[in-house]
Amino acid sequence: FIIKSRGGAGGAKKAAAKRKAGEEVVVVEPTAADKEGLLDEEAEDGRSLHIGLGVSPNGSMTLELFHLWIEHFLQCCLLPGQGKGGQPVFLFLDGHASRWSLAGLAKLRAHNVFVLCVPSHTTVWSQPNDNGPNAMAKSYIGRELEKSGRIPEACKGGAVFNRIYRRAFMAMSDQLEKDRGGAGSNTITSAWVKVGLGPLLNKECAAWRAAIRHFGSASVVGVAEGAMFRAVQQ
């Protein structure tokens, strides 16, 4: 799900002021240029990638866009037999303010999707995307940018960027499938294991061990690793 920026910091402040005043914040619709070469119906490759698209003032998720993202998740991300009337799904999110929509969370619950928020501001300690997948995505986009030779145009975020992003997304998806089919794991599954949220929950996972060692050695918390780890377990 890509969020494009339109409106800048000023637009974001205005939207925040409207929310605080209880006024409606209108979601900006993507333009034809935003979509060109990106969405399945706009692409020439014939692949079904189910990429979602939204627009916000600063390119960040908002409370309003979160509802669109939920629709996208329910329509494109659940596997057959999951969700409403089927198997339950656990959805892990970070604690960003845009997630705190009672209506949005209720809609997910109505579709048998249970939301769990990992601790905020813990980056690589507890968030799977920060343990490899985000870096992998940046690497693939960077390669496609270099191959295209059109970096200045791509930075404008229009059709040139869209096609580059889509090629990168396809290449990364194909590699992830290849890795999982061969080794049985890939960058995404390994990241979930590292933060203790793999098929078997692991309270002694590598990411949390590393975080505890780091802060223990830096005397930020002022306690020994063993004592800190027991506190985390509790």
Side-chain angles (χ1 to χ4, degrees), residues 15 21 29 59 76 79 94 98 107 133 155 162 170 198 209 212 221:
E29 292 293 328
C76 302
L79 299 177
D94 62 19
S98 62
K107 182 162 189 174
C155 288
N162 291 347
M170 285 191 290
R209 279 284 187 188
I212 292 167
V221 293

Side-chain angles (χ1 to χ4, degrees), residues 15-232:
K18 284 187 174 183
R19 289 190 202 99
K20 188 173 182 180
E23 300 175 15
E24 181 183 4
V25 177
V26 178
V27 175
V28 178
E29 292 293 328
T31 64
D34 291 328
K35 301 175 184 178
E36 184 181 347
L38 177 66
L39 306 183
D40 290 342
E41 58 270 23
E42 304 286 338
E44 301 90 1
D45 50 65
R47 294 275 296 267
S48 295
L49 303 182
H50 305 297
I51 296 173
L53 175 65
V55 176
S56 73
N58 58 5
S60 295
M61 180 60 76
T62 64
L63 278 168
E64 295 75 32
L65 278 184
F66 184 53
H67 290 267
L68 295 181
W69 182 88
I70 288 172
E71 291 289 346
H72 177 78
F73 176 82
L74 294 175
Q75 292 176 16
C76 302
C77 298
L78 297 182
L79 299 177
Q82 292 182 338
K84 194 170 186 177
Q87 294 179 331
V89 173
F90 290 101
L91 172 61
F92 286 83
L93 301 173
D94 62 19
H96 191 270
S98 62
R99 284 46 154 170
W100 299 109
S101 163
L102 183 59
L105 297 174
K107 182 162 189 174
L108 288 167
R109 176 64 183 84
H111 284 79
N112 216 15
V113 177
F114 299 85
V115 176
L116 299 173
C117 285
V118 296
S120 298
H121 308 297
T122 53
T123 59
V124 295
W125 317 338
S126 68
Q127 299 186 26
N129 277 5
D130 290 327
N131 271 274
N134 284 346
M136 183 181 186
K138 290 178 182 179
S139 174
Y140 272 82
I141 293 171
R143 290 180 207 172
E144 290 296 332
L145 277 169
E146 289 185 3
K147 282 166 40 178
S148 73
R150 304 179 70 181
I151 295 177
E153 295 170 84
C155 288
K156 297 177 182 178
V160 173
F161 167 81
N162 291 347
R163 291 186 172 90
I164 290 171
Y165 179 89
R166 191 173 174 92
R167 288 198 299 271
F169 189 90
M170 285 191 290
M172 185 177 73
S173 298
D174 291 344
Q175 186 62 52
L176 287 168
E177 285 295 324
K178 181 180 178 181
D179 291 344
R180 193 171 187 186
S185 65
N186 57 31
T187 300
I188 292 176
T189 60
S190 297
W192 284 80
V193 170
K194 189 176 181 181
V195 300
L197 296 174
L200 296 176
L201 297 181
N202 178 15
K203 61 186 178 182
E204 300 186 27
C205 61
W208 279 101
R209 279 284 187 188
I212 292 167
R213 281 196 301 271
H214 170 74
F215 282 103
S217 62
S219 299
V220 174
V221 293
V223 295
E225 178 184 342
M228 180 62 176
F229 189 70
R230 285 193 294 274
V232 171

